[in-house]
Amino acid sequence: MNNNVYDAIVVGSGISGGWAAKELTEKGLKVLLLERGKNVEHVTDYKNATKAPWDYPHRGGRTWAQEQLYPKLKRDYPLNEKNLDWWVKDWESPYTESRRFDWFRGYHLGGRSLMWGRHSYRLSDYDFEANARDGIAVDWPIRYADLEPWYAHVEKHAGIQGSYENLPQLPDSVFQPAMPLNCVEEKAASNLAGAFGGKRKIIPARTANLTQALPGRAPCQFRNACWLGCPYGAYFSTQSSTLPAAVATGNLTLLTWQIVNEITYDRDTKRATGVRALDAVTGETIDFKARIVFVCASAVNSTWLLMRSATDVWPDGLGSSSGELGHNLMDHHLRVGASGRMDGFDDKDLFGRRPGGFYVPRYRNLFGDKRDYLRGFGYQGSASRQGWQRGIRELGVGAEFKDALVQPGEWRIGSSGFGEILPDHSNRVSLNHGVVDKWGFPVINFDAAMGENELAMRKDMANDFAEILEAAGAKDVHTYDNEFHPGAGIHEMGTARMGRDPKSSVLNEWNQVWDAPNVFVTDGACMTSAGCQNPSLTYMALTARAADHAVAELKRNNL
């Protein structure tokens, strides 16, 4: 476009940004999509997608030297040899913590859509009405009926596999055929069906992996290597799904290595005029103009961008007039559950590498159940046979021991809970002007922790699954509660929440910034509460809905 002027600018190319680009271009807008990191071409840049473990110098693991280089990334699985290049380098993009927060990011085209867990569940009205019912934070400005058609819209394009269960707390999606439970999970589900009044159910996990082909995409090959990029396009990512659709319109301009660091704002018109970006390679600063701006840089980075914008009007940034910008940071808490042994299946083995497992929908604080905490949790788990790794800690030696390890081990079944974290004004992010990143920008400081509600919930998350396993026929059942710090769920939410009142929220019911209605924030930052379901499907639906509204408002000359 001449003079860097477009109809719309989308900041960030992850799950939400990809959807914004697709929807806006398909509605005829000339769209500029800006990504702060490098390009990752679909298929050709999935360099490790077909490697075997022995193709890596350290068999895909981590080294002491890597742990020294990545003090934050080493806190969990992202520090590994297989896809390390897709995780942010700690020394280039540091952050600080008043209280520990594990922040795992991907700065490249597609963002974390290339590395996400793909579990995809709708929220229900139990979630959209929860804040109002419990008197917590503020009420969502929408209900399930507002989002239901947009869930269906994105599910048809993304491809969600799952089973129809007709559960009011976990509405069914538009499903592709489900990846079935394996034989042990089926038995566990069958045994569980008659227990607990039928309220605790084991169902196939719902994930964004194709079981039937879509245009340009093949069904899942059951390789369970999604985090390396899929050469078949079988799981949803920006590269496999939304970006090709946007490119096909002829309306998309994509620029990588562009760090958007300010939304330019006209205080007279009370509208954004575009964005300011730093070319991460050349160091050149460029202004881009547009009538609307979609901020989809991921929850915390979107808020970072708002905090750096229109500071001549609001010292704390665009969207800060309510005093809520940066507050109410949420995640899902996990690493707590139980595991056990399932006997009687030694003549059965696994076939293929299914990229998902089972799911146990929420049942606590629903349908007359009342606990000493608010909200609830679901479980994600699987059953599998132990492999040779079971011998690592046995310190065994000798030929007989080695021969035994080449045989499949016992069947184990286990799960971790995924619990809701309540929105809390004191859980927040802010700008730390005393520390800058590689490009001289102030970094994010985290100040968040779990509260008493989450800690009380975790007791049920462990004990309940032990009860589930015993009812399902498992033996040698053990509970666990490993250390958890916010962020480890990689479901950052809140910090620019939606609401009904500009005095208590940052965004309105259409994801528009109250203070600048031509700015839309549709990633995890917009969430008013977290639910216990994986949130990415909701970001997709909210983004498509907001894009539709934005184009309609443009046509009415309201933006």
Side-chain angles (χ1 to χ4, degrees), residues 17-36:
W19 269 104
K22 172 188 176 296
E23 295 297 302
L24 294 171
T25 54
E26 288 183 341
K27 294 178 186 301
L29 271 59
K30 297 295 184 184
V31 175
L32 174 64
L33 174 60
L34 295 171
E35 164 54 47
R36 66 172 291 155

Side-chain angles (χ1 to χ4, degrees), residues 283-298:
E284 180 185 8
T285 294
I286 309 172
D287 282 353
F288 300 98
K289 304 293 183 182
R291 295 176 64 188
I292 58 175
V293 177
F294 267 67
V295 182
C296 305
S298 80

Side-chain angles (χ1 to χ4, degrees), residues 180-234:
L181 301 174
N182 65 37
C183 60
V184 171
E185 293 164 351
E186 281 186 350
K187 181 61 175 176
S190 175
N191 289 345
L192 183 63
F196 307 110
K199 293 180 179 178
R200 305 185 190 184
K201 297 171 65 71
I202 292 178
I203 66 174
R206 300 171 177 179
T207 66
N209 293 91
L210 299 185
T211 52
Q212 294 178 335
L214 288 176
R217 301 172 59 194
C220 178
Q221 305 296 300
F222 284 61
R223 302 168 62 246
N224 193 22
C226 308
W227 57 90
L228 305 178
C230 181
Y232 307 92

Side-chain angles (χ1 to χ4, degrees), residues 310-371:
T311 52
D312 58 328
V313 181
W314 301 280
D316 293 325
L318 181 63
S320 66
S321 60
S322 65
E324 295 297 334
L325 183 65
H327 294 269
N328 310 295
L329 176 64
M330 298 173 287
D331 187 17
H332 288 130
H333 64 103
L334 41 95
R335 293 180 180 167
V336 55
S339 64
R341 186 186 74 248
M342 291 290 282
D343 296 334
F345 297 90
D346 289 346
D347 60 336
K348 303 291 192 304
D349 207 347
L350 292 167
F351 178 77
R353 297 172 180 171
R354 182 187 49 167
F358 63 74
Y359 189 72
V360 178
R362 175 187 166 188
Y363 52 87
R364 283 300 186 196
N365 286 322
L366 294 174
F367 319 124
D369 179 73
K370 182 63 178 174
R371 309 300 294 172

Side-chain angles (χ1 to χ4, degrees), residues 119-293:
H119 279 253
S120 300
Y121 307 96
R122 295 185 180 190
L123 299 183
S124 75
D125 266 338
Y126 289 103
D127 306 299
F128 288 111
E129 296 174 357
N131 280 1
R133 182 178 59 247
D134 298 332
I136 297 292
V138 298
D139 189 15
W140 277 87
I142 60 174
R143 291 293 183 261
Y144 178 69
D146 297 307
L147 206 54
E148 191 282 332
W150 296 103
Y151 275 130
H153 175 77
V154 300
E155 288 160 354
K156 292 172 186 174
H157 187 83
I160 310 298
Q161 65 81 24
S163 57
Y164 291 94
E165 303 289 344
N166 195 30
L167 301 173
Q169 76 275 34
L170 192 72
D172 292 325
S173 294
V174 178
F175 288 128
Q176 292 203 343
M179 292 180 175
L181 301 174
N182 65 37
C183 60
V184 171
E185 293 164 351
E186 281 186 350
K187 181 61 175 176
S190 175
N191 289 345
L192 183 63
F196 307 110
K199 293 180 179 178
R200 305 185 190 184
K201 297 171 65 71
I202 292 178
I203 66 174
R206 300 171 177 179
T207 66
N209 293 91
L210 299 185
T211 52
Q212 294 178 335
L214 288 176
R217 301 172 59 194
C220 178
Q221 305 296 300
F222 284 61
R223 302 168 62 246
N224 193 22
C226 308
W227 57 90
L228 305 178
C230 181
Y232 307 92
Y235 75 89
F236 172 88
S237 68
T238 295
Q239 276 85 344
S240 70
S241 181
T242 47
L243 184 61
V247 170
T249 66
N251 291 327
L252 183 72
T253 299
L254 168 64
L255 295 178
T256 54
W257 294 116
Q258 300 297 312
I259 302 176
V260 177
N261 55 86
E262 183 180 348
I263 298 169
T264 51
Y265 180 79
D266 185 331
R267 61 191 307 161
D268 295 326
T269 63
K270 296 182 173 54
R271 297 288 189 274
T273 58
V275 303
R276 181 161 296 147
L278 175 76
D279 188 304
V281 177
T282 68
E284 180 185 8
T285 294
I286 309 172
D287 282 353
F288 300 98
K289 304 293 183 182
R291 295 176 64 188
I292 58 175
V293 177

Side-chain angles (χ1 to χ4, degrees), residues 109-120:
L109 186 67
R112 288 185 297 196
S113 81
L114 286 174
M115 306 108 85
W116 68 309
R118 306 168 311 286
H119 279 253
S120 300

